[in-house]
Structure formats: structure tokens, C-alpha cells
Amino acid sequence: MSKENPFGQVLVALITPFTSEGEVDWADVEKHIDSVISSGADGIVVTGTTGETSTLTDPEKIKLVEVAKSVSAGRAKIITGGGSNETAHAIELYKASEKAGADGVMIVTPYYNKPTQAGVLTHFRMIADATDLPVIMYDIPGRTGIPITYETILRAAKHPNILAVKDAKGDFSEVSRVLNQTDLLYFSGDDSNALPHMSIGASGLIGVTANIAPAPYRVMVDAVNAGDLATATAAHQALEPLVRAAMTHVPGTVAAKYILHGLGRISSPRVRLPLVGPEDAEAARIEDELALVSGIEGLDLSNFRPDRNAAAGGALPKIAGATR
């Protein structure tokens, strides 16, 4: 690959810790960012899906960039995620994020509007024109309703600022095809596929489970870089039940907050409506999966104390998120 990687390799799709009332808990934000960087993350994606971007206000999004930049103190790249399904609003957000100190932007395919591929390409190009920051295109048709097609990815790759794709489609043959045809960097956007993606040439991952355990992802990435498949596979296998706990029963941010709160690493597991905490049966399944986790560096589950009552329901914050 001729392009240098300006984003890092172990990127955490950061949760946004809230108080029990649903307001951003800025002390917890700082503590959590410092914790994941100290455990091996070299990139932080704030205000992405896992950060509950759709229910954050614009000022909260910008402040998250500022706080992350300050806490990281150069130890990790700060990428701003989310964006908007309105191109003009997305441009405003990314320009403000650049001023706030972001090192890169992750642009999600416009959701709900269902634009044609020409509209998708225009959205990416206009945002990439509006900022000097390197761009990751985020391809997640399960959330946006539309994919970024192979042809669109190839055309977008010609833009000098569009350097990467976060892939949550899981079409490995297409990943290989794009890696052959372009010099785009690829990031796995599916925690269970991080190693398979990297084994065919992806640069790293943007992971939810890395909120809970960044260290084994660091081991995996370093092993891949060194050509040590056995060590990378061992990390992948150790992570498997934790990934299942975090990613299969409720939305990733809900499970991650439930687990982090049970470990005493955030003060509240609260999410903002329409997300709600796990119901009893869902919480029980998460806890059953966690009982299978062992041998993960930096993760001691002997002190796991889940609190289903604290997680129940969802919060209505005082100020509605910016949805124009």
C-alpha cells in the first residue's frame, strides 16, 4: 500500500458515558479514553454509532473531540464519526471537528434518504472537499439502508482525502477486490471479523468490544504485523465469547455499557432513548456469555457485578440531539 495510515490500527468505537439522567458524564469520558489508550488503542472514534451519535447534540459532539484530543495528548489519533444524512449539516460538523482538533473523519453513508450511488458519491466528495482531514468511508448497509457499491468505492478512492473504508458488510471477496484495485486502507467494522479482515489485507479494526478489552486487539494487530498467525488466532479465539456477549443480544453500545458498568469502569450504564438497557432475559444471556470468557489480558471478570436495575429503560436528555 502506498498510502501511509494516518488513523491507527486498534481503533475504539468509543461509548459516550452518561449519568443516570442521560447527560454526558465528562469525568467518565476522560477516564475511559485514558483507560483504552493505556491498554493499547492507538485510535479513538468519538461520536460514532457506538457513541450514540444520533442522540448527541452538535455541541456535545464537538466537545467530545476536544476532550479526546486533550486526554490522548498525542498517544492516539482522534477520529470523529457520525456525520449526518444531510450533506450540509455533515460538512458543518466535520469543519467544526477539524477546528476542535480531530485527526480524521469517518463519514457514514447517508441513511434514511436512500440516495442513489451518485448521491452517495457526491456526499462523500463534498465533505472530503470541505476539510483537509483524511476520510474513512463507513459502509454499513444494515443501518443506512443502502451499501456503498464497489464502483462507488473505486470512484471515491480517486479523491485525495478519501483514504479508507470501514467495512461492516462482511463481503470478503469485495474487500479483496477493492484492495487489489485501489490503495485504500480497510478497517474491520465487525468485531468478530477483525482477524479475518486483517488476514486478507485490512489495516486494522474499529471495534465496540475494544471498549472493554483493547489489549487483545493490540496483541492481534501486532501479531498480524509480525506475520505471527498463531498468536493472532489465539487472541481472536480468546475474544470470541466476549464479542458474542457484546454484539449479539442487544445493540453493541447497550451491552458495552452494561458490561463496563458491571466492571466498575463507568458510573452508569444509561443509554438515551430510543435505546434501552437490556431486559432481564437479555442481561442473563450477556452474563452467560461472559462466564465463558477467560485468559484475556487486562480483563478480570471476577469482580463483575452487573446491575440490571441501573441499566433498565432509557434516558430522555434535557436537550434533544441535533436532527434537522
Side-chain angles (χ1 to χ4, degrees), residues 238-246 249 258-259 263 282-296 299-306 308:
L239 279 163
E240 187 269 331
L242 182 64
V243 169
R244 209 166 58 239
H249 304 300
Y258 184 68
I259 296 166
L263 290 167
E282 294 164 339
R285 284 199 290 275
I286 291 168
E287 291 159 27
D288 287 346
E289 310 283 18
L290 289 177
L292 303 174
V293 175
S294 65
I296 290 184
L299 183 63
D300 178 8
L301 288 166
S302 64
N303 295 318
F304 181 63
R305 301 287 181 271
R308 297 182 187 181

Side-chain angles (χ1 to χ4, degrees), residues 62 65-66 93-102 131 133:
I62 302 311
V65 173
E66 291 169 348
L93 273 173
Y94 289 126
K95 278 181 167 174
S97 297
E98 181 173 15
K99 278 188 189 150
T131 170
L133 294 177

Side-chain angles (χ1 to χ4, degrees), residues 40-223:
D42 56 8
I44 303 289
V45 178
V46 294
T47 76
T49 307
T50 309
E52 299 178 66
T53 184
S54 50
T55 50
L56 293 172
T57 66
D58 285 5
E60 285 171 337
K61 291 174 185 176
I62 302 311
K63 187 172 176 182
L64 278 162
V65 173
E66 291 169 348
V67 168
K69 187 75 174 177
S70 170
V71 172
S72 76
R75 294 175 294 159
K77 299 294 187 182
I78 307 304
I79 317 300
T80 186
S84 174
N85 63 333
E86 182 200 10
T87 308
H89 185 203
I91 286 170
E92 277 179 17
L93 273 173
Y94 289 126
K95 278 181 167 174
S97 297
E98 181 173 15
K99 278 188 189 150
D103 297 299
V105 299
M106 186 175 78
I107 308 173
V108 71
T109 320
Y111 42 89
Y112 192 75
N113 320 50
K114 284 201 168 175
T116 62
Q117 289 297 305
V120 171
L121 185 61
T122 302
H123 182 78
F124 286 132
R125 281 178 173 165
M126 288 192 75
I127 295 167
D129 282 342
T131 170
D132 291 329
L133 294 177
V135 169
I136 305 172
M137 298 183 289
Y138 185 10
D139 190 8
I140 182 161
R143 285 185 181 273
T144 62
I146 51 170
I148 313 172
T149 65
Y150 166 75
E151 293 77 14
T152 302
I153 291 172
L154 256 57
R155 291 169 77 187
K158 295 188 168 106
H159 194 289
N161 286 359
I162 297 176
L163 304 190
V165 178
K166 177 184 175 185
D167 181 87
K169 262 195 310 215
D171 182 343
F172 287 91
S173 59
E174 183 175 292
V175 175
S176 293
R177 193 177 174 199
V178 172
L179 287 171
N180 273 347
Q181 297 291 319
T182 74
D183 55 2
L184 287 172
L185 304 166
Y186 251 78
F187 291 91
S188 177
D190 179 350
D191 287 11
S192 60
N193 282 338
L195 179 58
H197 267 124
M198 284 189 286
S199 73
I200 59 168
S203 305
L205 62 117
I206 300 174
V208 179
T209 312
N211 280 282
I212 304 159
Y217 287 105
R218 183 79 258 161
V219 169
M220 186 192 293
V221 164
D222 290 346

